[in-house]
Amino acid sequence: YFSPLDSSLNVYTENTEIKEYATHYGHLISRSEIVVDGKKIITKVYQKENSYFKVATKFLIDREYKYLTELQNEPFFPKVIDYGELDTELNFIEISKCEGVNPIEFFKMPKYQHLPYIKSFVEETLNVILILVKHNVLHRDLMPQNILVIEKKGKCSVNIIDFGWAVDIAEKDA
C-alpha cells in the first residue's frame, strides 16, 4: 500500500478530499509536472489491482475520457471505469489495467528478439493506428511508454494508453 501523497505537488496535498479519494486506488506509480503555454499541467497515476486511477489537469482527463469512450468497442485500448471532477482544476479517470510492458523492455528479453515477434509487433501497431484513423483520432503522444506489448499465442499484442494529448484528425491544430 502507499504512503501519503508526495508533497512536491502541493495541489494534491492541500486538497484532503482528493488525497482521501486517491488513497483508495492503490499506490502512486508516476507523476509529472510540466508547463505548457504558461500553464502548469499536473498528472499523477495510481495503480490498483485491476485498474489505474489518474488525476490530472481537466483538459487532459477530458480528452482521455472523450477518446477512450469513442474507442470502447475496440480491443486495443483501456476501458473507462469511472470519470469525474475533483475540484475546479482537476479531474480524474479510472481505466482498466492493460497487460504488457513497453516495447523497449519487451524486446530486451532474448525470447522476443526474433523476426516473427518484431514483425507481429509492427503489424499490430499499424493495425491499431489504422483503428485510430478510422475513428479520426490523432494520438500525438505515441511513444514506447504509451505502448504496451504482451505475447499472445506466439505473437505480439499491443495496447495503446494515455490519450490526454489526442485530438480529432480534422482539428486545424492537429
Side-chain angles (χ1 to χ4, degrees), residues 20-87:
E20 288 171 11
Y21 196 73
T23 57
H24 293 279
Y25 285 89
H27 64 281
L28 180 67
I29 58 170
S30 74
R31 70 167 190 257
S32 66
E33 182 176 344
I34 61 172
V35 176
V36 176
D37 296 332
K39 293 182 180 179
K40 188 189 292 187
I41 298 172
I42 300 166
T43 305
K44 281 196 172 188
V45 180
Y46 302 87
Q47 183 174 338
K48 193 178 173 181
E49 186 175 337
N50 295 310
S51 65
Y52 292 104
F53 179 77
K54 186 176 188 178
V55 175
T57 308
K58 281 187 181 291
F59 82 90
L60 288 175
I61 297 296
D62 291 347
R63 284 183 182 191
E64 186 132 18
Y65 177 76
K66 174 186 177 186
Y67 294 111
L68 287 178
T69 53
E70 284 180 23
L71 297 164
Q72 69 183 347
N73 295 322
E74 301 290 351
F76 305 103
F77 310 100
K79 307 304 177 218
V80 175
I81 298 168
D82 198 5
Y83 162 81
E85 185 177 279
L86 290 175
D87 64 19

Side-chain angles (χ1 to χ4, degrees), residues 8-162:
S8 65
L9 298 177
N10 291 333
V11 70
Y12 293 101
T13 56
E14 290 171 6
N15 187 321
T16 51
E17 183 181 336
I18 294 171
K19 185 176 177 179
E20 288 171 11
Y21 196 73
T23 57
H24 293 279
Y25 285 89
H27 64 281
L28 180 67
I29 58 170
S30 74
R31 70 167 190 257
S32 66
E33 182 176 344
I34 61 172
V35 176
V36 176
D37 296 332
K39 293 182 180 179
K40 188 189 292 187
I41 298 172
I42 300 166
T43 305
K44 281 196 172 188
V45 180
Y46 302 87
Q47 183 174 338
K48 193 178 173 181
E49 186 175 337
N50 295 310
S51 65
Y52 292 104
F53 179 77
K54 186 176 188 178
V55 175
T57 308
K58 281 187 181 291
F59 82 90
L60 288 175
I61 297 296
D62 291 347
R63 284 183 182 191
E64 186 132 18
Y65 177 76
K66 174 186 177 186
Y67 294 111
L68 287 178
T69 53
E70 284 180 23
L71 297 164
Q72 69 183 347
N73 295 322
E74 301 290 351
F76 305 103
F77 310 100
K79 307 304 177 218
V80 175
I81 298 168
D82 198 5
Y83 162 81
E85 185 177 279
L86 290 175
D87 64 19
T88 58
E89 297 179 15
L90 300 170
N91 281 2
F92 74 90
I93 190 168
E94 183 179 359
I95 58 173
S96 61
K97 186 175 179 182
C98 293
E99 293 183 77
V101 296
N102 78 55
I104 295 168
E105 296 302 315
F106 186 83
F107 288 110
K108 280 182 182 177
M109 294 181 261
K111 175 181 178 180
Y112 303 118
Q113 295 173 358
H114 300 284
L115 191 57
Y117 286 108
I118 296 167
K119 182 181 175 198
S120 69
F121 168 74
V122 171
E123 288 172 348
E124 186 86 345
T125 303
L126 291 174
N127 285 333
V128 171
I129 291 170
L130 287 173
I131 290 169
L132 291 173
V133 169
K134 180 179 107 181
H135 288 273
N136 293 311
V137 176
L138 179 60
H139 189 281
R140 295 198 316 178
D141 197 21
L142 203 53
M143 59 183 170
Q145 294 84 344
N146 292 333
I147 301 172
L148 299 175
V149 186
I150 189 167
E151 178 192 9
K152 287 187 179 176
K153 299 179 183 175
K155 293 185 176 187
C156 290
S157 181
V158 173
N159 287 297
I160 304 296
I161 59 171
D162 199 353

